[in-house]
Amino acid sequence: MTTTSVLSRQRCFDGWQEVREHRSAVLDCTMRFGVYLPPQASERPCPVLYWLSGLTCTEQNFITKAGAQRYAAEHGVILVAPDTSPRGAAVPDDPAYDLGQGAGFYVNATQAPWSSHYCMFDYIVDELPQVVESSVSSSGRRGIFGHSMGGHGALVIALRRPDRYASVSAFSPIVAPSEVPWGQKALTAYLGADRVAWRAWDACEQVRLATARLPLRVDQGDADEFLQTQLQPERLEAACRAAGYPLDLRRHAGYDHSYYFIASFIGEHIAWHAAAMS
């Protein structure tokens, strides 16, 4: 069993916000993640909701900016926020913010030098839940959500592994990485130039292949500076319509890509996931 170390622990809404560290066999490096244990976790098993952050983020962005602990305590949900990529001196990196450390894109890389460490899909789907749920009082029910690059990750992971999750949602996700600059750069580096291989990591492509139907919600601000160039939620809307996949796409006037947007609606997302995981 993987050993975890508790690096910090703060009382928060009658629960505990922790940051933990462990050695990842999948990523071949040391990883950190935030875990919020609501007060109910000391009394009974609770569902676990996994948050995937966006480009440049660590576990700290979500746990310090989203204001999510209040709602997790209200609904009795354990919140887990991992880092966005493998890290360390031995882990390949790139000078740009949108590739390498901080930009794992939640794929399993097949190209050198990335393939030796960048297997974030396997880490999020298999290893991290084993690490977390062996050390907390979990009900066995899971949900997943995220923001931007992490919204892409949450959508693809849930669409490819619907057996693992009860619900999926996203804030400002990259819905079609095969068609936008952020995604094209990352997928080329991690997977190579064959666009057929990219389909496994594109939410719009995976919607067309999906046989299961999970509750799916997406929130998008119309003042998001990346809306037209990188996000393009209308592509997911069209793919879901064509596939008959139910989608609750909510557009919000005046909201941008920041954590101010996330903090404004995080309570609604947690309540929605809590109902689906009950």
Side-chain angles (χ1 to χ4, degrees):
M1 183 178 297
T2 302
T3 300
T4 63
S5 301
V6 177
L7 302 181
S8 63
R9 192 169 194 254
Q10 276 82 37
R11 194 73 164 156
C12 186
F13 292 101
D14 292 327
W16 294 96
Q17 177 62 61
E18 298 182 352
V19 174
R20 300 184 184 183
E21 184 177 79
H22 74 106
R23 180 71 187 179
S24 168
V26 169
L27 304 178
D28 192 22
C29 68
T30 297
M31 291 293 286
R32 292 184 178 183
F33 61 90
V35 56
Y36 177 70
L37 302 171
Q40 297 90 334
S42 64
E43 304 167 356
R44 57 174 170 80
C46 295
V48 183
L49 183 54
Y50 290 84
W51 169 267
L52 305 184
S53 292
L55 288 166
T56 76
C57 292
T58 70
E59 80 288 340
Q60 289 294 320
N61 297 74
F62 180 73
I63 67 176
T64 60
K65 294 181 179 180
Q69 295 91 341
R70 169 187 173 185
Y71 305 103
E74 178 181 346
H75 295 284
V77 171
I78 297 169
L79 284 177
V80 178
D83 203 345
T84 51
S85 78
R87 294 187 192 265
V91 175
D93 199 7
D94 188 273
Y97 77 95
D98 54 357
L99 189 67
Q101 295 187 34
F105 267 83
Y106 305 99
V107 305
N108 287 340
T110 59
Q111 303 299 301
W114 313 104
S115 56
S116 59
H117 293 276
Y118 284 73
C119 295
M120 287 296 292
F121 178 87
D122 286 349
Y123 177 70
I124 298 298
V125 172
D126 295 317
E127 186 179 32
L128 182 63
Q130 291 174 6
V131 170
V132 171
E133 295 172 29
S134 66
S135 62
V136 302
S137 183
S138 167
S139 69
R141 297 282 282 173
R142 301 184 194 94
I144 191 166
F145 64 156
H147 171 233
S148 194
M149 177 187 71
H152 142 76
L155 294 175
V156 169
I157 286 169
L159 288 165
R160 290 185 57 173
R161 292 297 307 273
D163 57 307
R164 301 283 282 171
Y165 305 97
S167 51
V168 55
S169 72
F171 291 84
S172 314
I174 305 168
V175 303
S178 299
E179 306 298 333
V180 300
W182 275 341
Q184 290 169 343
K185 178 179 180 178
L187 297 180
T188 300
Y190 296 142
L191 305 175
D194 182 4
R195 294 179 67 95
V196 174
W198 298 3
R199 295 175 184 172
W201 310 104
D202 188 301
C204 290
E205 293 289 343
Q206 290 303 302
V207 160
R208 298 184 182 103
L209 300 174
T211 56
R213 297 290 185 265
L214 295 180
L216 170 58
R217 168 174 286 184
V218 171
D219 279 23
Q220 176 65 61
D222 71 3
D224 191 316
E225 59 269 42
F226 304 112
L227 179 58
Q228 299 301 325
T229 56
Q230 306 284 5
L231 307 179
Q232 302 178 5
E234 64 275 7
R235 290 183 181 271
L236 181 64
E237 190 172 37
C240 286
R241 186 184 307 113
Y245 198 114
L247 167 66
D248 180 14
L249 173 58
R250 310 192 305 173
R251 293 177 169 88
H252 302 275
Y255 285 92
D256 62 15
H257 201 69
S258 71
Y259 264 82
Y260 295 110
F261 174 45
I262 295 168
S264 298
F265 299 99
I266 194 70
E268 295 179 20
H269 276 244
I270 291 174
W272 182 83
H273 281 282
M277 295 187 294
S278 63

